[in-house]
Amino acid sequence: MPNAPISGKGLTYAEAGVDIDAGNAMVEDIKPLVRATRRPGADAEIGGFGGLFDLKAAGFKDPILVAANDGVGTKVKIAIETGIHDTVGIDLVAMCVNDLVVQGAEPLFFLDYYATGKLDPRAGAAIVKGIANGCIEAGCALIGGETAEMPGLYANKDYDLAGFSVGAAERGKLLPAGDVGPGDVVLGLRSSGVHSNGFSLVRRIVNHAGLNWDDAAPFAQGKKLGEALLTPTRIYVKPLLQVLRKTSGLKALAHITGGGFPDNIPRVLPDGVGVTLDLNAVPVLPVFKWLASAGNVAMEEMLRTFNCGIGMIVVTDAAQAAAIEAALRDAGEDPVRLGMLDTTPAGAEPVRYSGKLAL
């Protein structure tokens, strides 16, 4: 039987759960954050139907555009449950721009998509504050985004984030280089923590350990568990661009995200080329030692799920390795020598290991 007709005052969008006025108010609140991300090529104003970027004003002569998009994954669940919203925006930017710089591209601009069941302007502004901070750290402009209030699809104030970034490199400067091969040196750049991968397993381990987000973090003195796990993903853009511009011999970069070492390193290697990583050299962070112990997670699973302390792989020409290590230190990094590329034996995996993680 059909529903009875609506009598009296008609239904409104707000009564259906979508508050346009709250969304407009949030846009006004975040405009100063967005303006702070201005850079050559973009004036970083929002409110129009699209964002503009001037490649010529950014100094490019014959650019190739590179695009990347990503999310934060179930790490947002911890942000929602702890009420700490000002760091996942940094993660969102990091997951995109790190994927640009590994291709030799300078991130130019960023757009975000924030979807929620019920818009909380204060939480939304905190999220955008993190996005703006990530953009400033990466040197790219926040030129637009979308806030979608979708009651019935997301529960209450649950939300999800997606990001989209575009970068550019001069023609002929893209990575990986065409001469990656046996004898090249493999370096690792340190991570800040779990970054933004493996949080479905992290949350299961926390639940298995019977801990709450407000409990003291077993691996980080003076911090609550939720706060410590929300440590944002490192953004490697500026130091890597500095090294690319000042040195020669950097041949390839690999961002260690989902799939860890065995799935990400081969993405930048030619067929038949592999590496034996010295696990004794990996600076395993306390959070990974705790996760492995509390979850009884095998070393092989740790290596395929988490970065274990290395968030970025750098492949260099052997003759230039020392110079590139020095340049990385000048840029604020503390590189670790992990191995050397070799010829993959028949039937062997391209990423193999010697030694053991210090779990």
Side-chain angles (χ1 to χ4, degrees):
M1 182 175 179
N3 293 330
I6 296 169
S7 60
K9 183 183 177 183
L11 294 179
T12 67
Y13 208 11
E15 289 170 339
V18 179
D19 190 341
I20 294 174
D21 291 335
N24 291 337
M26 193 187 97
V27 170
E28 292 303 313
D29 288 342
I30 66 176
K31 279 186 176 180
L33 300 172
V34 174
R35 291 188 190 111
T37 70
R38 283 177 170 155
R39 56 151 292 157
D43 62 8
E45 272 299 337
I46 58 170
F49 288 97
L52 305 177
F53 194 93
D54 184 344
L55 280 167
K56 188 174 181 181
F60 287 91
K61 297 178 176 62
D62 187 17
I64 299 291
L65 294 180
V66 183
N69 71 303
D70 212 330
V72 182
T74 57
K75 190 173 186 177
V76 297
K77 192 70 174 172
I78 302 177
I80 292 164
E81 292 176 355
T82 60
I84 302 172
H85 303 288
D86 61 350
T87 58
V88 286
I90 300 174
D91 288 292
L92 184 65
V93 175
M95 296 302 290
C96 295
V97 298
N98 285 341
D99 281 353
L100 294 180
V101 76
V102 298
Q103 295 173 88
E106 174 188 344
L108 302 176
F109 59 83
F110 188 87
L111 299 98
D112 70 278
Y113 178 74
Y114 165 43
T116 182
K118 178 63 178 176
L119 181 61
D120 179 346
R122 206 176 327 181
I127 292 166
V128 176
K129 178 182 178 182
I131 293 171
N133 287 340
C135 285
I136 291 168
E137 190 175 343
C140 63
L142 178 57
I143 65 169
E146 172 69 10
T147 299
E149 195 172 17
M150 296 190 284
L153 184 59
Y154 295 92
N156 299 319
K157 294 183 180 180
D158 279 1
Y159 63 81
D160 196 12
L161 299 172
F164 175 86
S165 190
V166 170
E170 294 291 356
R171 194 177 302 273
K173 298 291 187 180
L174 290 172
L175 297 177
D179 59 347
V180 173
D184 290 338
V185 172
V186 178
L187 307 174
L189 303 184
R190 298 167 191 261
S191 71
S192 56
V194 184
H195 285 186
S196 293
N197 299 103
F199 272 89
S200 294
L201 178 55
V202 169
R203 290 167 50 245
R204 186 169 183 180
I205 292 170
V206 169
N207 182 63
H208 178 74
L211 295 174
N212 296 310
W213 302 128
D214 285 337
D215 292 337
F219 52 85
Q221 189 173 3
K223 288 188 176 182
K224 294 180 179 180
L225 179 59
E227 174 194 7
L229 288 172
L230 285 171
T231 299
T233 306
R234 280 204 61 207
I235 294 175
Y236 297 95
V237 169
K238 288 184 178 178
L240 287 175
L241 288 178
Q242 180 176 318
V243 172
L244 283 167
R245 289 163 181 163
K246 290 187 174 182
T247 67
S248 60
L250 197 160
K251 294 187 175 184
L253 298 165
H255 185 199
I256 304 303
T257 57
F261 295 93
D263 285 3
N264 285 294
I265 295 176
R267 295 168 69 178
V268 299
L269 301 181
D271 291 342
V273 176
V275 63
T276 300
L277 295 177
D278 178 8
L279 297 183
N280 294 323
V282 174
V284 180
L285 294 171
V287 61
F288 298 114
K289 296 180 182 183
W290 179 77
L291 288 168
S293 175
N296 192 28
V297 183
M299 185 178 75
E300 291 75 14
E301 183 70 12
M302 292 293 295
L303 289 163
R304 195 174 187 191
T305 305
F306 301 115
N307 66 66
C308 297
I310 296 292
M312 183 69 71
I313 292 292
V314 180
V315 178
T316 80
D317 179 84
Q320 300 293 322
I324 289 174
E325 284 180 290
L328 285 165
R329 291 192 181 94
D330 288 343
E333 294 293 333
D334 185 16
V336 177
R337 284 215 182 196
L338 295 175
M340 185 175 290
L341 296 188
D342 53 26
T343 301
T344 304
E349 294 294 327
V351 178
R352 304 169 300 279
Y353 309 106
S354 64
K356 290 178 62 178
L357 287 177
L359 296 172

